[in-house]
Amino acid sequence: MTLNNEEDLLRLKEIGRICANALQAMGEALEPGITTAELDAIGRKVLEESGARSAPELCYQFPGATCISVNEEIAHGIPGSRIIRAGDLVNIDVSAEKDGIFADTGASFPVPPVSAAIDRLCRDGKRAMWVGLKQVRPDQPLAAIGNAIGDFARKNRYSLVTNLASHGIGRSLHEEPKEIATWPDPSERRRMTDGMVFTVEPFLSMGADWAESGDKDDWTLYSEPRAPTVQYEHTVVVTRGGPLVVTLPS
């Protein structure tokens, strides 16, 4: 999607805010004893009360309104009976549609008490995302995002999962520009254009470099090799003034 009118921008900002509000509500409710299904119900309520529809359900018949991944799970975890416990590392990914426009956001949450290394991983996961976002401007190579995040990861002795990429978004959940690497990719030759809409969502890890499916279900992805991994994600618009992040809570 490339924005070329104010109406579409306002609609994108609205669905971005709704997704961010759902993520915030779920993060605030996260505590030992809650199940992932109960967390999902909180996100669903925020979306539905705002007139939005879950994008995973709408587009892929995903069995939940949001994706909730715990510890060894790093993406596309199905909400269910799993009970959150102290020390868990929980990723929540919220994407939704309203009035024909989609937005996508996500964050990882440590459930105290956790080790200093996990706290640092979460802090640095946010930093890695913002390092990538700061590269967003017209005529800049898309590769600049992955190069900057890669430099950050290397300097701070982390790895990056290299088969879960950022993506274009707007009139559908996944659209052009597809598969935007959040790691250094020498083959990337595309450039950002004014009004382009996409996500920035690095998966920063303490050792993993791949996401693989398991035998639990057809959706959940796990780190390979197994290692603590976090994901932070915003939907952003390329503007002459730099990145316009639309997935911020009100």
Side-chain angles (χ1 to χ4, degrees):
M1 181 178 185
T2 298
L3 294 173
N4 53 25
N5 62 73
E6 187 67 20
E7 180 181 352
D8 282 349
L9 176 58
L10 290 175
R11 288 194 292 168
L12 180 65
K13 286 181 175 180
E14 181 179 14
I15 188 58
R17 174 183 54 79
I18 292 168
C19 289
N21 287 345
L23 178 65
Q24 182 180 62
M26 294 171 73
E28 290 174 351
L30 186 58
E31 62 180 4
I34 195 170
T35 67
T36 54
E38 289 169 331
L39 266 183
D40 185 62
I42 292 168
R44 181 185 297 279
K45 182 179 180 181
V46 173
L47 296 179
E48 291 181 349
E49 288 183 347
S50 302
R53 297 186 292 176
S54 160
E57 284 185 336
L58 179 64
C59 299
Y60 302 117
Q61 294 76 55
F62 180 78
T66 67
C67 299
I68 305 175
S69 309
V70 184
N71 294 337
E72 71 281 1
E73 306 165 349
I74 62 170
H76 306 164
I78 298 173
S81 61
R82 184 167 184 166
I83 297 171
I84 300 300
R85 305 188 186 281
D88 282 345
L89 179 59
V90 182
N91 178 265
I92 302 173
D93 195 305
V94 180
S95 55
E97 175 272 343
K98 184 176 181 180
D99 296 330
I101 302 294
F102 291 77
D104 195 354
T105 189
S108 296
F109 301 86
V111 183
V114 297
S115 68
I118 295 299
D119 267 335
R120 186 166 57 251
L121 174 65
C122 291
R123 179 201 68 195
D124 288 343
K126 293 178 188 176
R127 291 174 63 196
M129 175 188 65
W130 282 103
V131 163
L133 285 165
K134 288 178 181 177
Q135 308 306 311
V136 174
R137 57 182 179 271
D139 302 321
Q140 175 89 321
L142 274 169
I145 296 171
N147 289 340
I149 294 171
D151 285 345
F152 175 88
R154 185 180 65 256
K155 289 176 182 177
N156 291 279
R157 299 184 178 180
Y158 293 108
S159 61
L160 290 163
V161 174
T162 57
N163 65 326
L164 290 174
S166 302
H167 55 90
I169 190 169
R171 300 196 185 280
S172 61
L173 180 57
H174 295 95
E175 60 180 45
E176 295 293 341
K178 293 181 178 177
E179 297 184 357
I180 303 169
T182 52
W183 58 89
D185 179 7
S187 69
E188 177 61 79
R189 294 289 184 267
R190 296 170 296 179
R191 288 185 172 270
M192 303 177 217
T193 57
D194 193 20
M196 183 183 285
V197 185
F198 53 83
T199 68
V200 173
E201 50 174 317
F203 284 76
L204 193 73
S205 181
M206 295 171 66
D209 56 17
W210 201 254
E212 65 173 11
S213 57
D215 54 12
K216 179 180 176 182
D217 54 60
D218 294 331
W219 294 97
T220 308
L221 297 176
Y222 301 83
S223 60
E224 178 57 39
R226 297 290 189 266
T229 302
V230 296
Q231 176 247 25
Y232 292 86
E233 175 182 14
H234 275 312
T235 297
V236 64
V237 183
V238 180
T239 78
R240 296 290 174 189
L244 173 59
V245 175
V246 298
T247 41
L248 296 173
S250 58

